[in-house]
Amino acid sequence: MTRKSIITQSPGRINLIGEHTDYNDGFVLPAAINKKAIFRLTKNGTDKDINIYSENIGNHFSFELDNFNPIENGWENYVMGVINELQKFGAKLKGFDGQFGGDVPIGSGMSSSAALECSLSFGLNELFDLGLNKWQLIKVSQMAEHNFVGVKCGIMDQFTSMMGKKNHVMLLDCRSLEYQYFPFDLGEYQLLLLNTNVSHELASTEYNTRREECELGVKIIKNKFLGIKKLRDVTLEMLQQNINKLPEKVFKRCRHIITENQRVLDATSALVKNDFHQLGQLIYQSHISLQKDYEVSCPELDFLVNLTLKKKYILGSRMMGGGFGGCTINLIDKKQIAKFIEIADKEYQLEYGKSLTPYLVSIENGSGIIEK
Ligand code: GLA
């Protein structure tokens, strides 16, 4: 079908548990949410002129399909990155005008970047009848981030934004790419996100460093145990046997990944059994591991997690996403939400002199067309 224009939407995501495991071929348990990037695309009749407008930033940007390069730190890289990857797939694009906006808070750990990349790749695929499947679009969106944005991210965010299913979380095996949907009903509990409003500026450099540390761990452990490709293949026993060979930091990074993978599997079982107390415990353990072993938390995130510790109506709390800012995710009794938000905001204000932002998110479908 030949279209002149299209509007697409792609959601941000939450992640119940499984942080930094994706690029180690491990497991994650994310879901798409009711916060979205929306892209309106219209063919402009030219061969190669691209004009993009960001509604939220109020910024225009133009370039030509055969002449563009990454710039330093800009949203433009997400757009150019997607186009660059589509071209690598042999996509025959023509000139278009694009306008995007949406309500995924930037820097919140809800992956506004994947939402933007996926809404664009999904939209261009439809508009120009490129014939790519969702997995190819996931890859295009992920590689845009690697090659133009410079963050060597895993596949979780783009996968979730593309494949999300209403009222379901997804267990994704980031090695085989097999995934399973699980109905998500927390009974009398609910998920509450608290945004620290600390933007994770350190995130991209530290993110790539963590990835390198994990790779170094594999390189060393592999000398003793053949057949190891990623930390997914390493057990705690194997790690322990290498304790003297690994720099302490690398040992800790590896320990987080190995224990976190197990927590994802345990959390999935807990969810299936409606054992929310167990789920909450795993969520707390995940935070401690991210804080102490992976060292990607920050004082504001730790403060908000600590605030929940003695509250019986909160079963679990942890930092969510890449870290160094963004949100905590809290498993909380529905009836106590308003009260807790009030307490948390007051305490946070007192400690840091600024407000937090609460979000009660619902779980929604992945990328789709809004209007043709
Ligand atoms: C970011 C990355 C993901 C994942 C998380 C941490 O959101 O984009 O691939 O690694 O951090 O779990």
Side-chain angles (χ1 to χ4, degrees):
M1 182 175 129
T2 313
R3 299 189 177 100
K4 181 146 193 320
S5 66
I6 193 168
I7 302 178
T8 53
Q9 66 82 18
S10 292
R13 59 111 189 88
I14 52 161
N15 186 22
L16 208 50
I17 197 161
E19 229 57 272
H20 290 272
T21 43
D22 57 355
Y23 54 85
N24 288 294
D25 274 5
F27 301 99
V28 290
L29 196 59
I33 55 172
N34 59 333
K35 304 240 162 264
K36 303 169 163 80
I38 295 174
F39 228 118
R40 178 194 304 268
L41 298 164
T42 308
K43 291 176 184 165
N44 62 18
T46 69
D47 276 345
K48 55 182 185 180
D49 295 346
I50 311 297
N51 306 300
I52 306 284
Y53 179 65
S54 158
E55 289 166 7
N56 296 349
I57 302 173
N59 219 350
H60 285 278
F61 177 61
S62 295
F63 63 100
E64 293 178 346
L65 277 175
D66 56 0
N67 183 19
F68 60 95
N69 289 299
I71 58 168
E72 204 172 320
N73 295 331
W75 59 267
E76 296 88 342
N77 288 330
Y78 296 100
V79 174
M80 293 188 291
V82 165
I83 291 174
N84 180 51
E85 296 302 323
L86 285 173
Q87 288 176 330
K88 286 190 195 163
F89 263 98
K92 301 261 176 298
L93 299 170
K94 295 246 179 195
F96 68 88
D97 297 340
Q99 184 172 340
F100 71 90
D103 60 356
V104 193
I106 294 171
S108 63
M110 291 185 231
S111 205
S112 55
S113 52
L116 172 54
E117 291 147 7
C118 290
S119 59
L120 178 59
S121 63
F122 188 89
L124 289 176
N125 190 46
E126 294 289 330
L127 187 65
F128 290 103
D129 281 322
L130 303 178
L132 300 187
N133 64 35
K134 278 195 167 178
W135 279 109
Q136 289 169 318
L137 296 175
I138 291 169
K139 213 62 207 161
V140 159
S141 305
Q142 182 197 13
M143 286 303 131
E145 191 124 352
H146 279 221
N147 297 328
F148 261 65
V149 182
V151 178
K152 307 283 179 203
C153 64
I155 203 162
M156 168 170 75
D157 301 351
Q158 292 79 8
F159 163 82
T160 311
S161 189
M162 219 37 108
M163 308 294 257
K165 181 170 170 180
K166 193 173 171 64
N167 296 332
H168 287 73
V169 288
M170 303 179 280
L171 173 65
L172 172 68
D173 177 336
C174 300
R175 167 167 282 171
S176 67
L177 300 183
E178 280 168 13
Y179 60 99
Q180 227 181 315
Y181 292 110
F182 291 93
F184 191 61
D185 180 1
L186 294 174
E188 63 204 74
Y189 294 95
Q190 199 169 334
L191 292 178
L192 166 70
L193 306 184
L194 294 181
N195 193 349
T196 56
N197 291 320
V198 174
S199 96
H200 45 197
E201 266 159 28
L202 261 177
S204 53
T205 36
E206 288 293 324
Y207 189 94
N208 291 345
T209 308
R210 293 298 176 284
R211 198 174 171 134
E212 283 160 17
E213 288 164 345
C214 291
E215 282 160 9
L216 177 60
V218 168
K219 204 169 146 204
I220 295 172
I221 299 169
K222 191 153 99 173
N223 287 331
K224 197 170 160 96
F225 296 98
L226 294 176
I228 302 291
K229 291 202 176 71
K230 293 272 186 165
L231 286 177
R232 160 72 174 274
D233 306 309
V234 179
T235 62
L236 273 183
E237 293 71 37
M238 290 171 168
L239 181 67
Q240 203 60 43
Q241 289 185 36
N242 279 279
I243 192 163
N244 297 325
K245 302 214 176 62
L246 294 162
E248 194 195 342
K249 222 189 233 178
V250 175
F251 178 86
K252 284 166 44 177
R253 306 298 188 244
C254 296
R255 184 166 60 190
H256 166 71
I257 300 300
I258 298 168
T259 56
E260 184 81 347
N261 270 330
Q262 189 57 47
R263 281 189 288 271
V264 177
L265 299 177
D266 293 346
T268 309
S269 311
L271 191 64
V272 170
K273 287 190 272 180
N274 288 336
D275 187 347
F276 305 130
H277 283 87
Q278 172 66 4
L279 178 62
Q281 284 306 305
L282 291 160
I283 289 174
Y284 274 130
Q285 286 165 19
S286 171
H287 184 76
I288 292 168
S289 182
L290 286 158
Q291 178 194 14
K292 300 220 151 54
D293 272 357
Y294 221 61
E295 296 180 278
V296 288
S297 188
C298 66
E300 291 85 348
L301 287 165
D302 296 338
F303 179 83
L304 288 179
V305 170
N306 287 339
L307 206 62
T308 70
L309 287 179
K310 292 215 174 87
K311 307 208 164 31
K312 286 228 170 71
Y313 53 87
I314 298 179
L315 300 185
S317 175
R318 66 175 194 86
M319 54 149 281
M320 187 181 76
F324 302 103
C327 290
T328 61
I329 180 168
N330 303 275
L331 180 54
I332 180 169
D333 184 332
K334 281 178 187 163
K335 296 187 294 296
Q336 311 288 342
I337 290 176
K339 179 173 99 186
F340 177 63
I341 290 177
E342 208 185 308
I343 298 174
D345 192 40
K346 202 165 136 211
E347 298 281 327
Y348 192 71
Q349 287 259 15
L350 271 177
E351 186 74 18
Y352 294 106
K354 63 175 162 192
S355 293
L356 51 74
T357 314
Y359 296 100
L360 284 166
V361 289
S362 61
I363 297 190
E364 302 294 334
N365 287 326
S367 300
I369 298 172
I370 298 184
E371 208 175 275
K372 291 179 190 173

